Amino acid sequence: MAEAAILFAVESLGNLLIEKVDFLGDVEEQVRWVKRELQRMQGFLKDANEKQAKNEIVRKWISEIRELAQDAEDVIETFILEIDNPRRRRGLLGRCACFPSHVYHLNKLGNEINLIKAQLEDIKKSRDTYKIEHIQGSFKRSYAAEQRKLSPWQRNKHLVGLDEDVKLLLERAILGEREGLSIASIIGMGGIGKSTLARAVYNHAEVAHRFDRRAWMVVSEQFDLTETIKELVLQLLEPNENKQEVLQTMKNFSEQQLKSILRDRLEGRRYFIVVDDVWRQQDWESLATAFPDEQDTSTRFLVTSRVQNIPRRARYVHEMKTLDPDKSWELLLKVAFDGNTCPRELEDIGREILTKCKGLPLAITVVGGLLLEQRQSRIGWEKVLQELNSHFEISGSSRIQSILELSYHDLPPHLKSCFLCLSFFKEDASIRASKLVYIWIAEGLISQEGEMTMEDISRSYLDELINRNMVRVKDLKKDGRVKSCQIHDLLHELSIRKAKEEINFEILKDRGNNTPQSLGYKPRHCAIYGSTESYNIFSTRGVNKHIRSLFFHGGGRDDVDCCPPYKWKSFRLLRVLDMEGLGLRKLPDTIVELVGLRYLGLRDNALEELPRSISRLKNLQVLDVFANYEIEVPNVIWEMDSLRHIYTFGFNREVPLKMDALKNIQTLKRIRGSKLMHRHLT
């Protein structure tokens, strides 16, 4: 499906026509024509999406329109950066001096728009040949989102049929009187509820009372021992300890030093630790060496895995079973009717839909989210059943994957685009809601509507994804808003697969895990997983002027700076750069060449200063340097008039910062008032 790509392009064209119309001259009407045609294409895509599964030619047509939409977005963004940034830097005389350059770039834009128009005409002709019809549709606010306003999310609201499982685990593995080490495991297929059961045990009142220390860690396929130990240590802090200071202390510790810190915090104490989503026996074994092995102290581990016999030393193995028909129905009622009864006229079709879920809790909750959107309409429920049957017929994937595919297919275009961005994060990551919201805005997915801020609109989109059970709440703020969220690993796999298809997303890990690039392939979003080899792959690739977002995950340190300066300079269209937790001591100088950058994530590094040239990032909306202790911030922030959110953790300045030009600022996190020049604040 190409809705996401077209939505991106239409947003860019719309912004150009609204904000830069004075610069367009004779090209304005051509830009409007392209925007209108792309908007009309969205109606035809609805029909094409229904036909593509059975028709290779239609799939190719969708791919062509997706590529064209992305190229149109590149052309528009490049034009804006070429004419706008020099004007914002040089003042009145500079703007006059820019006039010849403006004429050149306007002429270039006209030529490129004409090429896009010609391609669009060809696509329109082939559309008629393939008999792709226009289906009228309009965006309707999610019914689930409206329901969200009436009732807050409840923890364990989808907990069904686990009472006996919890009881067995407590009696046979967790609360027994036996001293010393005891390991239990929960095994079962993806989506069957292993983590949900483990969480119910973890939160049980008797468990909290019995053990001095509890911790929960996710291992997942991308296991990193040092990062896992750091996370464990942070969960085991004493109430009077400062989390940021401990994190800073551990920043450059070796693996053995980290293990020593962990043992010191656990020795002589009764502790219970959940190790969630273990994929390989060797991962468990390397982690197990970090814990003290004391025979006279009660120590309990609860491990979840899709794989049998992990860990091999488990004294008790609990194999998850699917829900029986009655429990499946109870769960569906909780999701689709908030625990109320089902209208009699819907019960027969509801139970037929349930047979497709085969008792898998994840499948039931996702289908329940689909049914909730139908407002108890029998026609709507029949449509869901028909689509389920259709997906099962044409899909070569498993039943649960087919259901998840349908849940994505059912999302409106704006939520599809937001869902695809979840692929940028690591598997099982705890995602800060504020970070996710800012990234959606930086990617250009959010438009201002009435009096609502873009941040408020973004949060409403997050609410919708949560109510559709595509995203789950991890923590709430005191005011009831989402503080952090997670995505189930099967849904994360879906987001990656769709992002690769629709927005040219690429993941770099190491040479053994990367797919060779085909000729003409243009990655527009990239996640790089922390190893020197993966950074080398990235740095030795050819110049990619199409890249829009770049995420570095784990490790790295100075490896990031191995990227040659000319390559950073080529990333003019880059909007999002996330280098959180890399251990950076110095920001690569050439980052200031990223004139299109809107989000710069530098949280949890070891940076000592920001360069004065950072003021050249005129489009930057979010500057996050939190947990870079006593960082030197130059007194040029006030020149960055697009800034909306600044996160820091104290900074060195004898002279207070001027902030008078920051008309859009909404967040100043951890900046003491004495560090600001108050008379400049507006």
Side-chain angles (χ1 to χ4, degrees):
M1 285 170 276
E3 290 109 315
I6 290 184
L7 187 66
F8 276 59
V10 169
E11 288 289 344
S12 292
L13 289 162
N15 291 338
L16 176 66
L17 289 167
I18 293 170
E19 299 171 12
K20 313 298 177 190
V21 66
D22 293 341
F23 298 156
L24 292 176
D26 296 337
V27 182
E28 179 186 349
E29 187 50 43
Q30 294 167 279
V31 174
R32 290 190 185 279
W33 185 91
V34 172
K35 183 188 176 193
R36 282 196 303 270
E37 284 303 313
L38 286 174
Q39 285 175 319
R40 290 187 70 236
M41 284 293 177
Q42 288 178 305
F44 289 98
L45 279 170
K46 296 177 187 296
D47 185 45
N49 285 329
E50 300 297 331
K51 295 175 177 176
Q52 68 164 321
K54 300 178 181 179
N55 193 322
E56 177 64 32
I57 295 176
V58 174
R59 279 200 295 275
K60 186 173 182 294
W61 183 84
I62 291 175
S63 177
E64 288 174 357
I65 187 65
R66 180 191 305 128
E67 190 70 27
L68 180 65
Q70 291 170 336
D71 287 344
E73 189 188 14
D74 286 353
V75 166
I76 298 305
E77 286 289 308
T78 301
F79 174 74
I80 291 174
L81 292 175
E82 292 289 359
I83 66 165
D84 201 26
N85 275 284
R87 290 169 177 269
R88 293 171 70 178
R89 286 206 306 264
R90 297 173 183 171
L92 179 60
L93 290 176
R95 285 195 289 273
C96 294
C98 284
F99 181 73
S101 174
H102 178 199
V103 173
Y104 166 77
H105 289 297
L106 191 60
N107 183 57
K108 183 180 177 183
L109 173 66
N111 292 334
E112 290 174 327
I113 289 290
N114 281 332
L115 287 174
I116 290 170
K117 284 182 66 177
Q119 290 176 274
L120 264 173
E121 291 288 3
D122 290 340
I123 288 173
K124 286 169 65 178
K125 291 175 184 176
S126 59
R127 181 188 70 206
D128 296 335
T129 302
Y130 306 148
K131 295 182 171 54
I132 299 171
E133 300 173 357
H134 187 275
I135 299 176
Q136 191 65 38
S138 60
F139 165 64
K140 296 187 297 182
R141 179 156 180 81
S142 165
Y143 175 61
E146 295 172 10
Q147 293 293 97
R148 162 71 182 98
K149 295 179 180 179
L150 302 177
S151 59
W153 289 296
Q154 302 168 8
R155 293 186 186 277
N156 302 327
K157 74 172 184 177
H158 297 159
L159 206 60
V160 168
L162 294 181
D163 292 345
E164 187 62 29
D165 299 83
V166 171
K167 182 180 178 182
L168 283 171
L169 277 163
L170 292 176
E171 290 178 352
R172 299 185 182 183
I174 309 301
L175 297 179
E177 294 301 322
R178 182 180 179 277
E179 296 296 334
L181 173 65
S182 182
I183 304 171
S185 65
I186 304 172
I187 61 170
M189 70 177 74
I192 202 169
K194 300 182 296 296
S195 299
T196 304
L197 173 58
R199 180 65 67 181
V201 172
Y202 183 86
N203 289 329
H204 197 279
E206 289 188 56
V207 173
H209 177 74
R210 173 73 177 273
F211 296 97
D212 304 319
R213 289 286 185 270
R214 290 179 301 155
W216 180 293
M217 57 184 174
V218 178
V219 173
S220 78
E221 192 174 11
Q222 304 300 325
F223 175 62
D224 184 318
L225 179 58
T226 58
E227 292 302 315
T228 302
I229 295 176
K230 286 179 184 179
E231 174 59 30
L232 266 174
V233 170
L234 293 179
Q235 291 188 44
L236 298 169
L237 294 181
E238 299 291 345
N240 61 343
E241 285 188 284
N242 185 298
K243 177 180 177 180
Q244 300 302 329
E245 289 179 1
V246 174
L247 196 60
Q248 181 70 11
T249 301
M250 294 190 296
K251 192 175 289 287
N252 298 315
F253 274 16
S254 67
E255 182 181 302
Q256 288 304 316
Q257 287 175 308
L258 290 171
K259 287 181 177 180
S260 178
I261 290 177
L262 181 60
R263 291 191 191 105
D264 288 344
R265 290 177 178 272
L266 292 175
E267 283 178 348
R269 299 175 183 268
R270 296 175 300 176
Y271 60 89
F272 171 61
I273 295 178
V274 174
V275 186
D276 193 23
D277 198 19
V278 180
W279 284 66
R280 293 171 291 268
Q281 175 68 22
Q282 58 265 36
D283 293 345
W284 161 254
E285 289 175 354
S286 64
L287 180 61
T289 62
F291 299 98
D293 187 2
E294 300 173 294
Q295 298 305 313
D296 58 347
T297 306
S298 181
T299 302
R300 301 289 184 266
F301 286 95
L302 181 58
V303 180
T304 75
S305 179
R306 300 185 198 181
V307 184
Q308 295 272 1
N309 301 321
I310 292 182
R312 296 194 187 102
R313 292 176 58 195
R315 288 181 172 272
Y316 175 71
V317 177
H318 188 89
E319 187 170 356
M320 291 288 291
K321 301 289 194 297
T322 55
L323 297 177
D324 63 34
D326 290 339
K327 292 299 181 184
S328 295
W329 183 248
E330 182 183 345
L331 178 56
L332 185 68
L333 292 181
K334 278 196 169 191
V335 179
F337 298 100
D338 200 23
N340 297 317
T341 58
C342 173
R344 185 172 298 176
E345 65 272 16
L346 295 178
E347 184 167 345
D348 61 330
I349 192 168
R351 290 191 180 276
E352 187 175 354
I353 288 171
L354 267 186
T355 64
K356 312 296 180 184
C357 299
K358 299 294 184 183
L360 283 169
L362 178 62
I364 295 169
T365 55
V366 170
V367 166
L370 289 173
L371 296 176
L372 180 61
E373 291 295 318
Q374 305 305 320
R375 296 175 179 260
Q376 300 186 23
S377 158
R378 184 173 178 87
I379 293 175
W381 282 43
E382 287 174 343
K383 177 174 175 285
V384 170
L385 177 60
Q386 181 182 354
E387 289 178 341
L388 280 171
N389 288 331
S390 176
H391 269 72
F392 292 154
E393 288 175 9
I394 62 180
S395 174
S397 54
S398 69
R399 184 169 292 264
I400 190 167
Q401 286 176 329
S402 297
I403 290 172
L404 299 184
E405 287 266 357
L406 176 59
S407 68
Y408 175 76
H409 177 82
D410 189 66
L411 292 175
H414 68 288
L415 291 186
K416 278 193 175 85
S417 299
C418 292
F419 179 77
L420 294 180
C421 291
L422 292 164
S423 63
F424 303 158
F425 296 88
K426 293 173 69 174
E427 181 185 348
D428 291 314
S430 176
I431 304 170
R432 295 191 305 278
S434 58
K435 179 176 182 176
L436 185 59
V437 160
Y438 299 156
I439 286 172
W440 286 344
I441 294 171
E443 292 284 6
L445 303 181
I446 312 299
S447 298
Q448 192 82 39
E449 294 179 13
E451 296 182 359
M452 291 182 70
T453 66
M454 289 190 290
E455 288 78 6
D456 289 337
I457 295 167
S458 292
R459 283 191 171 273
S460 74
Y461 289 179
L462 177 58
D463 289 352
E464 290 185 56
L465 287 171
I466 290 169
N467 278 291
R468 288 171 176 265
N469 297 308
M470 303 293 281
V471 176
R472 59 192 181 196
V473 177
K474 186 174 187 293
D475 291 304
L476 294 172
K477 294 184 175 182
K478 291 180 180 179
D479 62 4
R481 293 191 303 166
V482 179
K483 181 179 181 180
S484 61
C485 59
Q486 286 181 310
I487 178 172
H488 192 281
D489 51 2
L490 292 180
L491 283 163
H492 187 251
E493 290 169 12
L494 174 68
S495 72
I496 290 174
R497 189 164 64 252
K498 291 299 180 183
K500 287 180 177 180
E501 292 174 8
E502 299 190 25
I503 58 173
N504 289 25
F505 175 53
E506 180 181 38
I507 294 177
L508 294 180
K509 294 180 182 176
D510 55 55
R511 294 193 186 277
N513 286 322
N514 294 303
T515 305
Q517 287 185 314
S518 59
L519 189 64
Y521 180 63
K522 304 172 185 174
R524 284 180 162 84
H525 308 273
C526 183
I528 302 173
Y529 284 78
S531 71
T532 300
E533 187 170 12
S534 60
Y535 291 122
N536 287 339
I537 295 169
F538 170 69
S539 64
T540 55
R541 284 270 180 89
V543 169
N544 180 1
K545 63 180 182 180
H546 306 282
I547 195 80
R548 295 309 182 97
S549 55
L550 192 53
F551 290 77
F552 291 88
H553 292 310
R557 301 185 186 277
D558 298 325
D559 291 325
V560 176
D561 214 13
C562 71
C563 186
Y566 74 85
K567 189 155 189 175
W568 284 114
K569 290 180 180 180
S570 73
F571 297 156
R572 290 175 59 82
L573 296 181
L574 192 70
R575 293 173 173 176
V576 175
L577 178 59
D578 186 31
M579 294 177 154
E580 184 172 327
L582 291 188
L584 290 175
R585 297 181 180 87
K586 184 176 184 296
L587 196 63
D589 294 333
T590 43
I591 280 183
V592 299
E593 301 292 339
L594 307 177
V595 292
L597 201 63
R598 301 179 186 180
Y599 178 97
L600 180 56
L602 299 170
R603 181 179 290 228
D604 187 22
N605 280 291
L607 295 171
E608 296 179 357
E609 63 178 358
L610 293 178
R612 291 189 63 84
S613 54
I614 198 171
S615 63
R616 294 170 60 184
L617 302 181
K618 300 296 185 182
N619 293 294
L620 196 66
Q621 299 171 352
V622 179
L623 175 62
D624 188 350
V625 291
F626 189 79
N628 288 270
Y629 301 93
E630 298 301 316
I631 186 172
E632 181 73 30
V633 178
N635 205 355
V636 295
I637 299 296
W638 58 275
E639 298 178 27
M640 303 163 69
D641 54 5
S642 295
L643 274 173
R644 301 171 72 87
H645 308 278
I646 302 175
Y647 289 81
T648 183
F649 194 79
F651 49 80
N652 285 320
R653 278 216 65 80
E654 294 184 6
V655 179
L657 286 175
K658 293 192 294 182
M659 308 289 279
D660 58 315
L662 300 185
K663 309 296 184 184
N664 298 306
I665 200 72
Q666 296 183 28
T667 305
L668 291 171
K669 182 81 170 185
R670 293 292 183 96
I671 300 179
R672 293 194 298 272
S674 60
K675 298 291 186 180
L676 300 177
M677 196 172 290
H678 294 279
R679 61 191 176 86
H680 286 274
L681 287 173
T682 57

